[in-house]
Amino acid sequence: MPRPLGELEDAVMTRVWQWNRPVTVREVLEDLQQERSIAYTTVMTVMDNLHQKGWVRREAEGRAYRYTAVSTRAAYSAALMNEAWSTSDNPAAALVAFFGMMSAEQREALRDAVRIVQHDDDDGDGGDDGHDGETERQGGEPGR
């Protein structure tokens, strides 16, 4: 289970996920500086920490690195939800309470997701082939 990202880690990862391409510390820095005053070394340290934690991989390019996400934001969110649900002493009640907090649009998205999972199960693959079919349909990278 991933630990929740810190505020600055989340700001950095949001950019890495949104841009969906290899990024440099400088690119992230310049975008973050539109919202806050932040030093290059701070962003470099955060990105190095994200690399050490397994959130991004990096490739040397000259004297700098280019960073890419290891997983998708959807996979990260799913892991957080799964952890919260599975640590409940009453998982069914936790799910009912969670569903009760959802907007109509979120409940419709849930119904769509259940239909996709049921369709994948009907195809006979059982979801145990290591592939995240929905993530692949969305053009993302399978979760870890």
Side-chain angles (χ1 to χ4, degrees), residues 54-98:
W55 286 105
V56 294
R57 57 177 85 82
R58 67 184 181 194
E59 269 188 52
E61 183 176 281
R63 293 178 19 187
Y65 287 109
R66 286 209 172 262
Y67 294 84
T68 53
V70 168
S71 188
T72 63
R73 170 152 324 257
Y76 166 67
S77 297
L80 291 177
M81 288 187 289
N82 186 58
E83 177 68 12
W85 171 67
S86 65
T87 59
S88 171
D89 61 348
N90 188 339
L95 283 174
V96 169
F98 179 61

Side-chain angles (χ1 to χ4, degrees), residues 6-34:
E7 189 245 334
L8 189 51
E9 289 175 326
D10 186 69
V12 169
M13 284 305 301
T14 294
R15 284 151 178 85
V16 174
W17 282 319
Q18 284 177 344
W19 296 342
N20 196 27
R21 61 174 172 76
V23 301
T24 63
V25 171
R26 175 79 49 205
E27 290 172 311
V28 174
L29 170 72
E30 290 173 358
D31 200 61
L32 284 170
Q33 285 178 330
Q34 295 177 27

